[in-house]
Amino acid sequence: MEQAKEKLRAFLGRHIGGRVIGDDEKIFAAGFVNSMFAMQIVLFLEKNFHIAIANEDLELKNFQTINAMAELIERKTAPSNNNSH
Amino acid sequence: MELNLQQRRRRAEFRQFVDAHVVPGANTWDRQEIMPPEVVRQLASRGYLGAVVPIGKGGSGFDSVEFGLLNEELGRGCSSLRSLLTVHSMIALTISRWGTDALKTQWLEKLGRGQAIGAFALTEAEAGSDARAIRTEAIESGDDFVLTGHKKWITFGQMADLFLVFANSKRGHSAFMLERNLPGLTTSPVHGMLGTRASMMAELRLEQCRVPKRNLVGAQGFGLSHIASSALDCGRYSVAWGCVGIGQACLESSLQYAGQRKQSGALLRDHQLIQRMITQMVAGVKAARLLCWNAGQLRDAGDPASILETSIAKYFACKTAADVARDSVQIHGANGCSGEYPVERFYRDAKIMEVIEGSNEIQEITIAQSACQAIAENVAVTG
């Protein structure tokens, strides 16, 4: 989980001018995310954590903070979940 | 850039198809503002309309470079027909990517086989580059949403069986799949556009159109950020390659013409100012193709950078196509301004490419902002 958060911090920081993002900072509400970046986040999660983001995952609560995305990754990579690539 | 064996074979197949079945009719279709259904059936029968649909789901499962090469070749022959591949693929990809299992079962195979045609309905009279300004409304009512609004300039809207429509719902911008036969949905043809005149463009009117909730794509509020965004990313990629095709067609036509036409006692190709234009065409088309190929490689790798690289490829390829088409008309002189040569059509079509799927100016904002962020990050890391 901490490893995932570290990767997410680095990725988000790279795309918003090197700014440090808090783990509970709401990136959509803060205006950091345009539509292009929203899709880049999806591709980043899929490629780096070998998961598939699908229709049922499209809820703001899954993407709004680093902690939320880390939890989504954890859920989707849990052994009982067959939604990974 | 080196294509693998399968990509080379497919490119040869696409080129042969376009030379035999597209090039001969393209000027007529443009003049008549119609795409013959038989041509669409030919695309479908070869599996081209299922390019982005996986094998096993009714599609051809082309990789991104193969899909790009198909767009280039169709763009070389007829941008209107290429625009069918663009919008249809955007819809097929959306269902494949974000559709519910029910939507996939109902539509994916039909779209992949070209038994149903898809169209993308985002633009409105007052909402072009600023998609957030759409006014179409979706109000929940029992098991349905009720859609009311007016969509404009919908490519292949005259022919489509299925529309991906964007509207404002209670929880934000949302996306819906609408079948043509829904009560309250009507289309009317749009004629007299500058270019891609055979793209069967239509206006779409929604008057109290009831759409089952199961036709919602993705969640409410994600219509623009994820559904439209991923579809338009596919659209930009398709248009970018299509522009390489326009550029290639202009180059080939210019070389042929400059090798036959004499002025001042010498062939045009022996005039140095013509040579300069040809050089710029060759370099521009090659560079655009390389940017498209780079974007394709990144797309197949699922790389997040593919989105920005696709935007860069689209921006450069569209500008190149417009420049190359303008010079091609110039080389052809008065003949290039007549309907006897295809370059005047390429010129008009190329201009359209600078407007659609994110105008040049929108791409400039996107690319510049990304470059500024990269510099800021570099400063933050090193400073």
Side-chain angles (χ1 to χ4, degrees):
Chain A
M1 184 101 155
E2 191 48 43
Q3 237 180 351
K5 286 185 189 177
E6 193 54 47
K7 282 186 180 178
L8 283 163
R9 284 184 210 113
F11 175 75
L12 293 173
R14 252 197 327 274
H15 285 81
I16 52 176
R19 190 182 175 288
V20 177
I21 307 282
D23 289 357
D24 271 322
E25 195 169 353
K26 292 186 173 174
I27 58 173
F28 283 82
F32 295 142
V33 185
N34 60 20
S35 58
M36 179 179 277
F37 189 36
M39 274 309 298
Q40 286 176 321
I41 291 172
V42 168
L43 291 181
F44 174 79
L45 293 173
E46 291 186 331
K47 184 175 170 66
N48 284 275
F49 302 102
H50 310 290
I51 57 176
I53 305 293
N55 181 49
E56 62 272 16
D57 302 312
L58 289 185
E59 291 185 53
L60 191 56
K61 66 179 185 188
N62 284 333
F63 299 96
Q64 61 185 354
T65 66
I66 287 174
N67 279 336
M69 286 187 271
E71 283 165 20
L72 174 68
I73 293 162
E74 194 168 60
R75 279 200 307 278
K76 292 190 77 80
T77 52
S80 60
N81 195 316
N82 59 3
N83 280 337
S84 56
H85 280 311
Chain B
M1 171 179 168
E2 192 174 345
L3 302 179
N4 64 35
L5 181 62
Q6 178 161 297
Q7 290 165 347
R8 287 201 301 275
R9 281 183 179 155
R10 288 218 197 275
R11 183 176 60 180
E13 172 201 316
F14 302 153
R15 192 170 179 88
Q16 196 175 26
F17 168 75
V18 168
D19 284 341
H21 300 284
V22 179
V23 170
N27 270 6
T28 304
W29 308 335
D30 177 77
R31 272 199 300 276
Q32 296 178 346
E33 299 194 22
I34 194 160
M35 184 56 64
E38 176 54 27
V39 181
V40 178
R41 279 195 288 272
Q42 285 175 341
L43 276 192
S45 70
R46 285 165 172 80
Y48 297 164
L49 291 177
V52 301
V53 177
I55 295 172
K57 301 272 170 90
S60 305
F62 288 177
D63 68 30
S64 291
V65 172
E66 290 166 355
F67 177 57
L69 294 170
L70 175 59
N71 278 279
E72 177 182 341
E73 288 304 327
L74 287 179
R76 184 175 61 81
C78 173
S79 288
S80 292
L81 189 59
R82 195 272 309 140
S83 73
L84 168 63
L85 179 66
T86 302
V87 295
H88 180 81
S89 299
M90 288 164 72
I91 306 312
L93 193 79
T94 297
I95 290 185
S96 179
R97 183 86 167 84
W98 299 117
T100 59
D101 288 343
L103 278 174
K104 287 177 188 170
T105 302
Q106 188 180 1
W107 288 108
L108 202 51
E109 185 167 342
K110 283 183 185 169
L111 291 166
R113 297 192 189 286
Q115 293 162 348
I117 297 298
F120 184 78
L122 172 60
T123 303
E124 298 178 4
E126 304 298 327
S129 290
D130 181 9
R132 285 172 297 189
I134 57 171
R135 292 179 182 172
T136 298
E137 282 195 332
I139 295 169
E140 288 189 64
S141 169
D143 291 334
D144 301 327
F145 284 92
V146 179
L147 269 65
T148 303
H150 181 194
K151 298 291 179 181
K152 209 165 180 187
W153 300 302
I154 307 306
T155 299
F156 279 88
Q158 295 178 47
M159 194 181 270
D161 303 288
L162 183 67
F163 296 90
L164 177 58
V165 174
F166 295 86
N168 296 310
S169 67
K170 194 175 176 184
R171 281 181 273 169
H173 298 110
S174 303
F176 304 87
M177 287 292 174
L178 272 66
E179 296 171 47
R180 171 178 283 281
N181 60 7
L182 279 178
L185 187 162
T186 54
T187 62
S188 53
V190 173
H191 294 296
M193 297 298 284
L194 173 70
T196 57
R197 287 184 168 182
S199 62
M200 307 295 284
M201 200 169 276
E203 291 188 16
L204 181 61
R205 286 195 182 274
L206 301 162
E207 291 170 5
Q208 298 287 305
C209 181
R210 295 191 83 88
V211 183
K213 282 184 174 170
R214 64 177 181 273
N215 285 24
L216 177 70
V217 184
Q220 288 189 62
F222 284 78
L224 296 184
S225 63
H226 291 73
I227 313 304
S229 182
S230 60
L232 286 167
D233 176 55
C234 170
R236 280 191 287 273
Y237 182 69
S238 169
V239 169
W241 275 102
C243 284
V244 174
I246 293 175
Q248 183 66 33
C250 289
L251 174 61
E252 290 174 13
S253 185
S254 297
L255 288 173
Q256 191 174 20
Y257 190 82
Q260 295 168 346
R261 173 86 166 169
K262 280 188 174 177
Q263 288 292 285
S264 306
L267 288 170
L268 285 184
R269 70 180 180 199
D270 294 326
H271 292 270
Q272 289 183 328
L273 291 178
I274 299 292
Q275 290 172 358
R276 183 176 65 183
M277 283 193 267
I278 287 171
T279 299
Q280 289 169 343
M281 286 183 186
V282 170
V285 172
K286 281 201 171 186
R289 189 180 285 116
L290 282 170
L291 284 172
C292 288
W293 183 74
N294 174 55
Q297 299 278 88
L298 291 169
R299 296 171 80 80
D300 279 339
D303 194 316
S306 65
I307 296 175
L308 179 64
E309 294 303 320
T310 296
S311 177
I312 293 170
K314 194 269 178 185
Y315 173 67
F316 186 83
C318 290
K319 281 181 73 72
T320 297
D323 289 346
V324 167
R326 185 195 61 236
D327 284 350
S328 186
V329 170
Q330 194 70 15
I331 288 172
H332 285 72
N335 280 323
C337 300
S338 79
E340 291 175 38
Y341 287 79
V343 291
E344 62 88 25
R345 171 168 56 86
F346 299 147
Y347 183 50
R348 290 186 285 105
D349 289 348
K351 184 63 222 172
I352 301 294
M353 302 309 129
E354 295 194 298
V355 175
I356 61 168
E357 257 71 334
S359 66
N360 281 4
E361 291 72 25
I362 291 294
Q363 307 305 332
E364 283 166 349
I365 291 168
T366 301
I367 295 163
Q369 284 179 345
S370 175
C372 291
Q373 283 165 353
I375 287 290
E377 190 242 345
N378 197 32
V379 170
V381 170
T382 58

